[in-house]
Amino acid sequence: MSLLRRISTAQGAPVRFWLDGQALTAMAGDTVLTAVLTQTTQLRRSEFSGMPRAGFCLIGSCQDCWMRLEDGTPLRACSTSIVEGMRLLSGTPATPLHQKASS
Ligand code: FES
């Protein structure tokens, strides 16, 4: 089950990435948000409520789509391109992502 589905029949080059340790395939040119939400129903869980989040504005303004790489680097899923070998985590971080990103 996924939140988004592709409506274009155009096929880009496959891009392999990992989400919570699971190998998945996106399409070249996808944002992280598109890559993740064409495969599942959420980007992460809110660090405040624990509720699932899937982005809101989709233009880099609302801070709803923060995810982390396995090395702890935060990124905005809606304004970051997926890249080959990217290793993403959807889990709730111990430190709110917006605090980590601004420090
Ligand atoms: S969805 Fe709003 S900043 Fe990414």
Side-chain angles (χ1 to χ4, degrees):
M1 182 175 190
S2 63
L3 192 62
L4 302 179
R5 67 180 177 87
R6 297 181 191 281
I7 58 172
S8 171
T9 56
Q11 291 293 316
V15 177
R16 189 168 176 119
F17 71 102
W18 279 259
L19 177 63
D20 298 329
Q22 180 181 3
L24 299 169
T25 303
M27 187 182 302
D30 282 352
T31 63
V32 169
L33 183 143
T34 300
V36 171
L37 293 182
T38 53
Q39 319 241 4
T40 187
T41 58
Q42 66 184 49
L43 296 172
R44 65 180 180 98
R45 293 212 168 252
S46 167
E47 62 270 38
F48 303 108
S49 68
M51 298 298 290
R53 306 304 307 164
F56 182 71
C57 72
L58 309 184
I59 58 170
S61 296
C62 76
Q63 316 258 340
D64 194 52
C65 66
W66 285 110
M67 295 184 77
R68 284 186 192 274
L69 299 175
E70 286 183 355
D71 70 3
T73 303
L75 59 84
R76 278 192 180 124
C78 73
S79 56
T80 304
S81 296
I82 195 80
V83 295
E84 182 72 29
M86 188 175 265
R87 299 187 74 92
L88 297 160
L89 296 174
S90 66
T92 302
T95 304
L97 291 169
H98 64 280
Q99 291 177 7
K100 178 85 172 183
S102 63
S103 59

